[in-house]
Amino acid sequence: MATQKTLGESLREHGVTRRGFLKFCAATASMMALPPTMTSAIAAALDKARRPSVIWLSFQECTGCTESLTRSHSPTVENLILDVISLDYHHTLQAASGDAAEEARLAAMKENWGSYLVVVDGSLPGPGSNMGYSTIAGHSNLDILKETVAGAAAVVAVGTCAAFGGLPRAYPNPTGAVAVQDIITDKPIINVSGCPPIPTVITGVLAQYLTFGTLPEMDEYKRPLAFFGQSIHDRCYRRPFYDKGLFAETFDDEGAKAGWCLYRLGCKGPSTYNACATMRWNAGTSWPVESGHPCLGCSEPDFWDAGGFYQALSVPTAQATHTLAVAGLAGAVVGGVAAAVAKKQQQHAVADREPVTIEQLEQKL
């Protein structure tokens, strides 16, 4: 259960030195896109903060989000569970099972009513007859969610399934799967999308909430702007090739070997917002585009049904703006003409949001 000790007291009991604590705070500041000068303020806040109780609920999911969490490296999952939060309930990570597990959830709710966090991964079967598709301890996912969220301070929907419905919601959606935000409307919700989400983003969001006690600034999909404020495309190291109009046409051609842009192979980077290109995966080792695979757009709503993974991207020009024409075709056409066409396309798209493909732009040019 959650302890009344402060985080600083808990860290010192675990033998964490002041130097190690400040390094942790510096990493937290970096993840939240804050200047290094904020490190001391974060340290002061965390030192006095109480460890919050966290209840993690898993519904229609593949355990990929938990697998991602356990591979977090800054802070590590050990830091998160032992030092930063009190993870009082988690199907996969807890030692208890059966009645003891459910009693732990109810006890954590009672002892921390009004102040605990609920983390959810996985979608929920829609209300009605579909509720029977997924149950825990004889109770439907929907009932467990509503019961647990009742006394929560906030809800963190981890992964695209919890945030937007994900794979279970893909056509033909036999369970009537819905996202957490489709059910819970009276509590603050933070969506940490991705299939799975980046591990350091999961821990970073929790650390940010603990540090400031408030929700982070979010985009229109309730995702924290610190991690979802820029597109994959804007941060991608292959962007210079895109600007020059240099694209790989197949996965084994000379362009692919030279590291050219993967846009024509179906990369969804221009319409996908996430921190993969900067935070990377596997302890910051690499990420899909760096390893030669196009971005699938897994942090966006309905990405499973949004079109073929390996087909050229079709995006609303209001979102892609003039960059799609100017940067993408600059190597092949006169930049001024491309800019004029893109601007005209954007004006029309703002009104009707019709998608435009790169082939259509080429025809107009």
Side-chain angles (χ1 to χ4, degrees):
M1 294 298 104
T3 178
Q4 293 302 309
K5 294 179 182 178
T6 66
L7 176 59
E9 292 170 343
S10 178
L11 288 171
R12 286 186 283 275
E13 284 187 0
H14 282 83
V16 177
T17 65
R18 179 66 179 173
R19 179 182 178 85
F21 177 59
L22 290 175
K23 289 178 64 176
F24 172 85
C25 294
T28 301
S30 177
M31 284 189 295
M32 292 188 288
L34 296 174
T37 53
M38 286 294 295
T39 298
S40 58
I42 293 175
L46 288 178
D47 188 63
K48 298 178 181 178
R50 304 288 178 180
R51 295 171 63 203
S53 172
V54 173
I55 298 175
W56 184 301
L57 303 176
S58 299
F59 297 133
Q60 292 189 134
E61 44 78 33
C62 66
T63 314
C65 296
T66 293
E67 290 285 347
S68 180
L69 171 69
T70 58
R71 284 157 178 76
S72 178
H73 62 281
S74 180
T76 66
V77 68
E78 291 83 6
N79 289 145
L80 187 71
I81 295 174
L82 299 177
D83 303 329
V84 180
I85 68 173
S86 177
L87 188 58
D88 294 327
Y89 182 87
H90 190 299
H91 293 166
T92 305
L93 300 180
Q94 67 188 15
S97 62
D99 291 340
E102 294 309 303
E103 288 173 4
R105 177 175 65 88
L106 296 175
M109 292 169 54
K110 181 178 180 180
E111 294 179 16
N112 302 281
W113 191 265
S115 62
Y116 61 86
L117 295 177
V118 174
V119 177
V120 181
D121 72 302
S123 65
L124 293 97
S129 60
N130 290 332
M131 291 169 60
Y133 274 104
S134 182
T135 62
I136 300 169
H139 301 284
S140 72
N141 291 173
L142 186 63
D143 288 342
I144 293 175
L145 176 67
K146 289 182 175 181
E147 178 186 50
T148 307
V149 167
V155 182
V156 182
V158 169
T160 298
C161 291
F164 307 128
L167 176 59
R169 192 173 185 169
Y171 179 83
N173 190 5
T175 67
V178 296
V180 173
Q181 62 186 354
D182 295 327
I183 302 296
I184 304 301
T185 59
D186 60 345
K187 294 287 182 178
I189 293 179
I190 309 170
N191 287 328
V192 184
S193 59
C195 191
I198 301 172
T200 46
V201 173
I202 301 174
T203 56
V205 167
L206 295 177
Q208 179 171 351
Y209 183 83
L210 175 61
T211 301
F212 297 105
T214 58
L215 298 180
E217 185 180 1
M218 294 182 283
D219 67 6
E220 60 181 316
Y221 296 120
K222 299 182 180 179
R223 300 177 299 190
L225 282 173
F227 304 107
F228 296 90
Q230 288 183 286
S231 71
I232 295 288
H233 181 70
D234 288 338
R235 303 179 181 190
C236 182
Y237 80 101
R238 295 179 187 256
R239 175 64 185 270
F241 295 108
Y242 179 96
D243 293 342
K244 296 177 182 178
L246 298 176
F247 303 96
E249 302 293 342
T250 67
F251 283 101
D252 59 355
D253 66 10
E254 292 304 314
K257 296 176 183 178
W260 289 2
C261 180
L262 303 176
Y263 183 91
R264 294 186 183 276
L265 296 178
C267 185
K268 305 302 187 293
S271 62
T272 301
Y273 290 77
N274 210 334
C276 302
T278 52
M279 307 198 81
R280 302 182 179 181
W281 295 78
N282 299 322
T285 301
S286 184
W287 60 294
V289 172
E290 187 172 350
S291 65
H293 194 283
C295 169
L296 298 180
C298 73
S299 59
E300 300 303 306
D302 303 317
F303 87 100
W304 284 98
D305 296 324
F309 286 159
Y310 301 104
Q311 295 177 1
L313 180 66
S314 176
V315 296
T317 50
Q319 186 179 47
T321 68
H322 70 283
T323 306
L324 185 59
V326 177
L329 304 176
V333 300
V334 178
V337 177
V341 171
K343 183 176 181 180
K344 185 176 181 180
Q345 290 282 353
Q346 182 179 3
Q347 292 171 345
H348 286 298
V350 169
D352 57 21
R353 300 290 292 180
E354 291 183 356
V356 57
T357 65
I358 195 168
E359 289 78 12
Q360 290 172 326
L361 285 174
E362 289 173 334
Q363 290 175 1
K364 291 182 178 294
L365 292 170

